Amino acid sequence: MNYDIVVVGAGASGISAALSAAQNGAKVVLLEKGDKFGGAGMFGAQGLFAVGSKEQLEHGEEYTIKDAYEEIMNYTHHSSNARMTKAILRESASTIDWMKENGLNSELVTNTQEVHQNHPRTYHQFIDKFNGFKRIIDNFLKAGGTLLTETSGKEIIQNNGQITGVKVSSRGKEKILNTKAVILADGGFVGNKDEVDEYAKVNGEDMYSMGERKADGDGLRMLKEVGGVSNYKRIFENHAATVFSKKNLKWHNNTIFTLTNLPTLWIDKEGKRFTNEDIVYDFALWGDTVYQAGGYYYFLLDQKLVNYLKSNSLNWTNSFERTFRLLDGQPMTYKVGPFKNIENDLQEAINEGAAFKADSLTELAKKAGLDEAALQESIKRYNHLVKKGEDTDFYKDSRFMNVPVEDGPFYAVRANSTTLGTVGGGLVNEDFQALTADRKVIPGVYVVGNNAGGLFDSSYPTIEGLSNTFAWNSGRIAGRVAAKLI
């Protein structure tokens, strides 16, 4: 079978690359390891970032490519690839129109996180997402493209430095697809336990992955085999924290989930307070602070707060409320609770090994494996600051300095570092052509989406939807360039 371009991976970046290449005249085959296309870009993401879109201009949003460029470059201390950053931003508005033309529409909405409400609106939320992705694929097929599910890339074949084929495994059988170019878009390596353990700065067992489990690093491995760089700025998309059961990964409790999203007292594995807990309202920064704290922390509740929440609301905001309310089209409540079954819910977490309950702080420290003296001192200090109504240690907003930890029994609930996936590894230029270690282009090899390094630095940035924008726009650029160069 002969193709101009083989695209490995049918998530957002791969779909974008395949459609772009096909609409620019190339004969394209799109490979998907699973039995469904879409990946994390469809099943996880709800929208994407853009700057200078028609909707933004119509609504008078004063936010330019220059503003976005400077925000990103300052966030990464100018360690981002400047040409790549500019290319993604310059493409982003037209990509919104292009997606709409091909069946996946979006609308400009308020930014989804509470602390981003004063930032110009840049988040374009999908409308009719699943049907929209289906229409995108239909347009790819109409443009002459081929979609092969349950098919994964295994090896890139070269002859005298030129790409001649890709060895694939399709439903248990291996075959060669003849091609002139390959675009690696299979989503990073979050599904590869060994590589996660190697590159994570925390114990991989303490990380909860929301990423695409089929993304096991095959694309980066193939890149390395043809002389590319596969370990350039491999980072994790740290995103918030979550309580999960190591016994049962499907376990979920809505009360516990909501309590995790509040700025109560947090204690790290040393038994010490380590941050201003209102960082909970910025998912990227929340994710970063958990990661640097060693992968998990405990949020503490006392019986007085538990009793209060049985029949009363707390006038705080669930940090995820706006995200969910936007999706449902409902107004914000700015309240949490009541939780009439809170004690049963906490007991569930205890039964799952995700929480501890004790009548005394001495017993709590023992159960949770914390230094008792550090825990006692941290709580004593925190209660003193609550009494003052001012956090002079880490400067948490005084609105949240009204819940001490005083009356036993006490609860410690473990919140773990959460990742949306991995980003980076592949060294590329602004056209997403793969580069060797000495920055020479590898003809016919392109790397996009979560496989590509260069935009992000040490973490997922605070600009909402930027990761998905990177996927769609890197794929679109690579598909167009590859089609022109074959």
Side-chain angles (χ1 to χ4, degrees):
M1 285 174 279
N2 299 312
Y3 298 96
D4 295 323
I5 300 171
V6 174
V7 180
V8 180
S13 64
I15 291 171
S16 181
L19 179 63
S20 175
Q23 290 182 339
N24 278 279
K27 184 179 180 182
V28 184
V29 60
L30 174 61
L31 312 182
E32 168 53 42
K33 182 179 291 186
D35 60 359
K36 297 180 180 67
F37 60 80
M42 182 174 78
F43 293 104
Q46 303 299 337
L48 68 166
F49 162 92
V51 56
S53 71
K54 289 179 181 177
E55 278 199 273
Q56 287 169 312
L57 296 177
E58 289 171 359
H59 287 87
E61 295 294 340
E62 296 182 358
Y63 189 71
T64 65
I65 290 176
K66 177 177 181 289
D67 294 328
Y69 172 83
E70 291 179 341
E71 185 171 354
I72 293 168
M73 296 302 291
N74 288 336
Y75 184 88
T76 66
H77 299 95
H78 282 253
S79 63
S80 298
N81 180 321
R83 292 194 300 270
M84 176 188 292
T85 302
K86 186 68 179 291
I88 292 292
L89 296 175
R90 188 172 55 238
E91 193 89 359
S92 65
S94 66
T95 294
I96 295 293
D97 294 335
W98 177 69
M99 293 167 73
K100 181 177 181 179
E101 291 165 4
N102 284 283
L104 180 52
N105 203 357
S106 60
E107 60 182 338
L108 182 66
V109 297
T110 180
N111 298 320
T112 68
Q113 298 176 45
E114 196 66 17
V115 295
H116 297 166
Q117 296 311 295
N118 292 327
H119 189 284
R121 290 185 297 166
T122 58
Y123 194 74
H124 295 68
Q125 184 170 280
F126 292 136
I127 299 172
D128 193 23
K129 178 176 68 171
F130 294 107
N131 287 324
F133 266 81
K134 176 64 166 57
R135 289 188 289 267
I136 289 272
I137 290 293
D138 287 344
N139 277 305
F140 166 63
L141 299 176
K142 288 177 184 177
T146 300
L147 172 65
L148 298 179
T149 58
E150 298 180 77
T151 305
S152 56
K154 293 300 180 182
E155 181 184 350
I156 299 172
I157 301 169
Q158 290 175 307
N159 186 11
N160 294 324
Q162 300 297 313
I163 304 301
T164 61
V166 176
K167 181 185 291 186
V168 304
S169 176
S170 183
R171 295 174 173 85
K173 296 181 179 180
E174 288 194 347
K175 57 185 176 181
I176 304 294
L177 303 179
N178 298 319
T179 189
K180 303 170 186 175
V182 59
I183 301 177
L184 300 172
D186 59 341
F189 61 92
V190 75
N192 186 318
K193 182 181 182 301
D194 291 339
E195 292 200 353
V196 168
D197 289 342
E198 178 180 354
Y199 287 96
K201 306 304 181 186
V202 300
N203 186 338
E205 295 295 324
D206 290 330
M207 292 180 68
Y208 181 77
S209 173
M210 295 176 65
E212 176 55 73
R213 287 175 172 79
K214 298 191 302 293
D216 59 6
D218 275 350
L220 293 172
R221 173 188 54 76
M222 289 189 284
L223 173 64
K224 183 178 181 180
E225 289 171 353
V226 294
V229 176
S230 65
N231 61 352
Y232 178 71
K233 290 188 177 180
R234 287 190 172 201
I235 66 172
F236 292 84
E237 289 184 282
N238 302 325
H239 187 269
T242 197
V243 177
F244 76 97
S245 168
K246 295 182 181 181
K247 302 177 185 178
N248 176 16
L249 291 179
K250 293 183 178 180
W251 176 76
H252 176 81
N253 183 291
N254 285 332
T255 298
I256 301 300
F257 175 77
T258 301
L259 292 173
T260 309
N261 304 329
L262 302 177
T264 52
L265 172 60
W266 298 355
I267 296 294
D268 66 14
K269 60 179 66 179
E270 298 177 60
K272 300 176 181 178
R273 188 174 177 226
F274 61 98
T275 190
N276 58 319
E277 294 90 349
D278 59 17
I279 205 75
V280 74
Y281 293 109
D282 191 309
F283 302 156
L285 300 183
W286 179 13
D288 284 349
T289 199
V290 184
Y291 194 72
Q292 71 80 30
Y296 68 87
Y297 63 91
Y298 293 100
F299 63 87
L300 303 188
L301 311 171
D302 72 354
Q303 192 62 42
K304 182 177 180 180
L305 178 59
V306 170
N307 289 340
Y308 179 84
L309 287 173
K310 286 180 187 177
S311 55
N312 299 279
S313 295
L314 198 60
N315 291 324
W316 294 1
T317 304
N318 174 348
S319 63
F320 275 92
E321 183 184 11
R322 186 175 294 278
T323 302
F324 296 139
R325 293 271 163 168
L326 277 172
L327 291 171
D328 294 337
Q330 299 295 318
M332 292 285 290
T333 67
Y334 300 104
K335 290 184 181 297
V336 173
F339 307 106
K340 66 178 182 178
N341 297 316
I342 186 171
E343 287 183 310
N344 290 335
D345 293 325
L346 286 165
Q347 187 59 51
E348 253 194 46
I350 292 167
N351 294 343
E352 294 294 339
F356 302 96
K357 177 183 179 181
D359 291 328
S360 69
L361 294 177
T362 297
E363 183 185 2
L364 188 70
K366 184 177 181 180
K367 286 186 173 182
L370 302 173
D371 182 274
E372 180 189 346
L375 180 64
Q376 294 270 14
E377 179 57 33
S378 294
I379 292 176
K380 179 181 177 181
R381 173 64 179 170
Y382 186 76
N383 289 340
H384 170 71
L385 296 174
V386 169
K387 187 175 181 179
K388 286 175 54 181
E390 182 183 8
D391 180 11
T392 53
D393 287 351
F394 297 111
Y395 313 106
K396 180 161 67 176
D397 194 304
S398 294
R399 289 177 296 163
F400 308 117
M401 295 300 293
N402 55 9
V403 179
V405 178
E406 296 176 324
D407 301 330
F410 303 97
Y411 300 84
V413 185
R414 186 188 67 236
N416 288 75
S417 182
T418 302
T419 180
L420 298 180
T422 62
V423 178
L427 179 63
V428 295
N429 61 18
E430 65 272 23
D431 289 329
F432 297 92
Q433 296 171 296
L435 302 177
T436 63
D438 59 355
R439 307 281 173 133
K440 303 296 183 182
V441 170
I442 302 174
V445 181
Y446 301 80
V447 185
V448 298
N450 283 2
N451 280 346
L455 180 65
F456 304 143
D457 175 31
S458 58
S459 66
Y460 180 68
T462 59
I463 297 176
E464 295 179 15
L466 187 58
S467 180
N468 204 24
T469 282
F470 184 65
W472 279 96
N473 287 282
S474 63
R476 187 181 177 204
I477 291 169
R480 184 174 63 233
V481 172
K484 291 179 179 179
L485 294 181
I486 54 175

